Amino acid sequence: MERDPPAGTEVNDTVLVLKAQAGDREAFGELVSRYMRRAYYAALGLTGSHDDALDLSQEAFVRAYRARASLDPDRPFYPWLYQIVRRLCFNLQRDRRTRRRRMEEATPWLQDQAGARAAASDPARSAERSELRSRLEVAIDALPEREREVLVLKEFEGLRYREIAELLGIPIGTVMSRLYTARRNLAEILGDVL
Amino acid sequence: MRNGGAAAGDERVRRLLMSGLDGELPAWEREELERLLNSEPSVRAEWDRLVRLKEVTDTMKLQQPPDEVWKDYWGSVYVRLERGIGWILLSVGAIVLISYGAWMGAQELIADTEMPLYLKGAILATMVGVVVLFVSVVREKLFVGRRERYKDVER
């Protein structure tokens, strides 16, 4: 999965942020192009829905543009944007009507790489993997939002503890504690298939 | 109820398990984890369970959207930005027009000598109420939400 922009782009980010603050939409467009994937995947991990992830990640950029005057150009852009993304996602998740709608229209948001390899050669194993993926999605959906967030950042975005701690503004120890609780809960829910 | 020392020990064990599982354990702590796994059956059982879970999650990744999503992404953000400005202009214009209309209507109402006083009062109250509610909703949408951007964020 695409993650950080290439090394050395932080300085350019600063320039782009300064230009965006002066009202240059093309510069902001460049920031959007750089971080749209990370914002989308972050939202997908938190909401478990392609439509919501697309909608909320785009809305986060709109809000970031409107609030650009409050951004310190010397600080990295993405952690600031991520705070907007997560707030939008958490607010959506807390809306019970949305949760009910999503349960009814649930589509896969995880991709099983092992299942994809097994699909052609072994249909029975493929069906088993599909069931496992589906149960994992439901189990992650059932996690409290803060545990889910840390789990997604670690497992699916591949961030290191230090990176997660910086992104969320919490100590590394808290990252590990939340991750432990999330995994223990997942292991309990998936107990019979592990 | 656990005492403080035991709780602190549990926390240490949990961190060792997580770091070990995610490959973020320094060499000297790896030895400590190995010793723990060999001497504590309950920790070993938990470790084995977490390893099996990790094997499952390692085979999963987030579903990738179609390429068209990325091609249209900035365009969609741009349209939203434009519409946002459109809504602001429309709202400001509507506030001015409604306020002006209300003011003119109120003047005519006050000048009307044939209408009963209670009816004038009711119409005035309705007009003022509509203006207050409209301005309040617009103010909330445009300003309050922005200032309290992170009010719901829990760290």
Side-chain angles (χ1 to χ4, degrees), chain A residues 112 114-136 193, chain B residues 60:
Chain A
D112 181 4
R117 283 193 296 273
S121 57
D122 187 349
R125 168 125 178 90
S126 174
E128 232 174 67
R129 294 291 311 186
S130 176
E131 169 70 15
L132 180 62
R133 178 195 47 72
S134 176
R135 285 189 61 178
L136 184 64
V193 290
Chain B
M60 305 285 175

Side-chain angles (χ1 to χ4, degrees), chain A residues 180-193:
Chain A
Y180 171 81
T181 312
R183 282 174 167 158
R184 190 196 56 199
N185 288 341
L186 273 191
E188 272 172 24
I189 297 171
L190 298 171
D192 56 326
V193 290

Side-chain angles (χ1 to χ4, degrees), chain A residues 144-162:
Chain A
E145 61 195 23
R146 289 189 295 177
E147 290 171 19
R148 173 183 184 143
E149 179 178 41
V150 172
L151 182 87
V152 165
L153 290 172
K154 182 71 212 167
E155 295 289 359
F156 304 125
E157 297 202 37
L159 300 189
R160 298 182 69 78
Y161 294 153
R162 183 183 49 77

Side-chain angles (χ1 to χ4, degrees), chain A residues 1-171:
Chain A
M1 184 188 307
E2 298 97 328
R3 279 186 46 205
D4 296 308
T9 55
E10 286 305 319
V11 176
N12 290 334
D13 276 5
T14 305
V15 173
L16 290 173
V17 167
L18 284 169
K19 283 184 176 177
Q21 285 180 327
D24 184 341
R25 288 200 180 183
E26 278 188 28
F28 187 71
E30 178 59 31
L31 284 170
V32 172
S33 298
R34 274 185 195 179
Y35 293 105
M36 61 187 179
R37 287 176 176 80
R38 283 192 77 180
Y40 169 82
Y41 285 119
L44 181 62
L46 292 175
T47 62
S49 154
H50 163 73
D51 291 341
D52 290 338
L54 191 58
D55 179 39
L56 296 184
S57 63
Q58 289 179 343
E59 181 61 24
F61 280 111
V62 170
R63 294 189 183 201
Y65 186 77
R66 288 186 193 148
R68 64 195 184 280
S70 66
L71 174 61
D72 178 354
D74 292 328
R75 301 191 70 175
F77 177 75
Y78 183 71
W80 180 71
L81 178 74
Y82 180 78
Q83 291 298 324
I84 302 174
V85 172
R86 75 194 288 258
R87 177 189 167 240
L88 289 170
C89 292
F90 287 168
N91 284 348
L92 184 86
Q93 290 294 80
R94 287 168 191 170
D95 185 337
R96 288 182 181 174
R97 285 166 304 175
T98 307
R99 287 182 76 90
R100 197 162 53 238
R101 171 179 62 76
R102 284 195 38 239
M103 292 287 279
E104 287 161 3
E105 301 168 0
T107 53
W109 55 276
L110 285 178
Q111 194 179 335
D112 181 4
Q113 300 172 94
R117 283 193 296 273
S121 57
D122 187 349
R125 168 125 178 90
S126 174
E128 232 174 67
R129 294 291 311 186
S130 176
E131 169 70 15
L132 180 62
R133 178 195 47 72
S134 176
R135 285 189 61 178
L136 184 64
E137 284 176 345
V138 172
I140 293 174
D141 248 344
L143 290 176
E145 61 195 23
R146 289 189 295 177
E147 290 171 19
R148 173 183 184 143
E149 179 178 41
V150 172
L151 182 87
V152 165
L153 290 172
K154 182 71 212 167
E155 295 289 359
F156 304 125
E157 297 202 37
L159 300 189
R160 298 182 69 78
Y161 294 153
R162 183 183 49 77
E163 293 172 310
I164 298 172
E166 285 172 3
L167 200 57
L168 302 185
I170 56 176

